[in-house]
Amino acid sequence: MEYAVTFLPLFGAIIGYLGKNLTKNFSEIFTSTMVTISAILALIIFWNGFNNDVYGNYKIFEWISSGNFIANWAIKIDPLSTLMLVVVTFISALVHIYSLGYMNHDPHKPRFMSYLSLFTFSMLMLVVSDNFLQLFFGWEGVGLCSYLLIGFWYKRSSANNAAIKAFIVNRVGDFGLAIGIFLIFFYFGTINFEEVFELIPTFSEKKLTFFGFEANLITLICLFLFIGAMGKSAQFLLHTWLPDAMEGPTPVSALIHAATMVTAGVFLVVRCSPMFEYSQTSLNIITIIGMLTAIFAASVALVQNDIKKIVAYSTCSQLGYMFFAAGIGAYHVAMFHLFTHAFFKALLFLGSGSVIHAFKDEQDIRNMGGVRKKLPYTYSFMLIGTLALTGFPFLSGFYSKDAIIEFAYLSNSILGNYAVVIGIFTAFLTSIYSWRLFFKTFHGTYNNKVVPINATHESPLVMLAPLFILSIGAIFAGFLFKETMIGHNSINFWQSSIFFLDEIKHEYIPLWLLILTPILVTISIPISYYYYISNPNILNDFKKTNLPLYNFLLNKWYIDELYNFIIVNPLKKIGSFFWKRGDIGIIDRFGPDGISKLVKLISNKAGQFQTGFIYDYAFVMLIGLSILLTYLILK
């Protein structure tokens, strides 16, 4: 069963693509079936582990064996990996089914569905790995699949550029991850998780010189691993690829943001908790980056107009929550929020796809509005997703997001206190931009001048059914699993898959902290409705004042422009110089171009002897004979 849950998506990807010409819709149905079966098996594995404590390490085959170094292909089944198996396969199965309707008119559906299944397989190989090398294989696999899926509509230059940008930015993070793995192998002599984690205490005080600075080995390894996590999970400074990734089809966005790719960074940090717990410096940096990401992405989402980019920045912000939860040592809370987030974020993305489908591919929320009665089911599902995302009381996001703020408070540290303030303020911003999206999409006047309101229509059942299932998760997942994952006895569930150097605190939380966030989230609803629907002129007048704040947020803190100024443009100038002076001026001039010119010159001169007169041919023969005799004599 453990082998099947991992390899069925790969089998579906291969057979689905190769069998695309067998019958109509064969690829779509086959790939969806394989992933759905994988999701069912993942639920069984999770239940067996949770209820019967059935865990283990299942070896597939020995991959590399050199001296004492051994790396296997294996399937590591523990509480952490079983949770990720459920998240990845369940969300992927629903995205596959949803795609049957959303991509119905696309001529390249078999390729798309195969890419989705391959994406799922790569993420599964990552989460069930028992060593860093197999993890790196899955890590690069999801990077490759994201490139293929973001640039799926390759005839669009914007899609190609977005795919390349995602690929390059992730290479920066992957380089950091690779260095971290190299350091682990060099000093520990192994890359197997269990063996490395057992050796951590003996290396906790080891120092080494790095670029002239003395650094703690564990801290250095953790920082490089976190650089990899920053790239994959789109944390501040390495986040620039994530909003551009919206150029891919909407089901891709849902899969990337809810279950694969961006969750890999959080998973890496939590998996390596036995290592990070011995480096307070790296944990502090993770907390700071997480806080920055949360507030940055939430502030930028306030002014975005593309419905998918708003939800994308929301993902970026929520990942910031997960990272600063891990940074304060609450790894189990980070995983709990990852779990609940998967449901309502997939719901929001697929719901946005339903809206885009109704508006004939329109994505600007300024060109929407007034379709609440035309799209009643999509409206209801988006309402549930918005409530869950904002942390409205008793929905999934309420339990996981508030838990992060509460555990930050219990950490009793300076950074923890900052995290509480940032977390509460970000929750308020999250509620504002989420309701802005919801109200401007469904309420107010109809603003689309291209598509008549009567032409908008509800999505087919094949698209609405996954939304219904996700909405159930968005409502109940937090309540049902809160005690298991973050409760007083949660340590029994996580067992050895998460390491806690200090005891988990479950102390008294003051009433003001418990009610502050829900109050802010609740009052943001009428505030948003007033400023975005009832009286939008106030904000429109504010935009016209040319104050720098609006443009600062609209241009995403000018991070892209800064990168263009510091990195991209100088590299273009250097590349242009070497291209014109080096490649064209030297290599081409004296290489292929020079040789071809010389051959052409000799050919033209030789052609002058082709006159048709005997004495010219005799002269040429005489010259050739003279050269031959000279060669023979000298030889």
Side-chain angles (χ1 to χ4, degrees), residues 305-346:
N305 297 308
D306 186 306
I307 187 171
K308 287 173 64 177
K309 285 191 177 181
I310 296 172
V311 185
Y313 277 111
S314 169
T315 301
C316 198
S317 181
Q318 297 306 304
L319 287 165
Y321 271 102
M322 297 175 206
F323 273 109
F324 79 65
I328 60 175
Y331 305 100
H332 58 316
V333 184
M335 288 305 300
F336 182 49
H337 192 49
L338 185 153
F339 175 69
T340 60
H341 175 264
F343 291 101
F344 57 75
K345 188 49 57 70

Side-chain angles (χ1 to χ4, degrees), residues 459-477:
S459 299
L461 181 61
V462 72
M463 292 173 62
L464 293 176
L467 295 178
F468 173 73
I469 296 171
L470 288 168
S471 66
I472 294 175
I475 296 172
F476 297 110

Side-chain angles (χ1 to χ4, degrees), residues 111-126:
R111 178 164 60 90
F112 178 78
M113 301 299 284
S114 294
Y115 285 170
L116 282 183
S117 293
L118 185 61
F119 203 175
T120 305
F121 166 73
S122 298
M123 189 65 188
L124 292 177
M125 291 307 299
L126 189 158

Side-chain angles (χ1 to χ4, degrees), residues 25 116 119 279 294 310 342 384 457 465 515 530 539 575 587 626:
N25 299 328
L116 282 183
F119 203 175
S279 174
I310 296 172
I384 293 171
H457 57 85
I515 66 173
Y530 177 76
L539 291 178
I587 297 175
S626 300

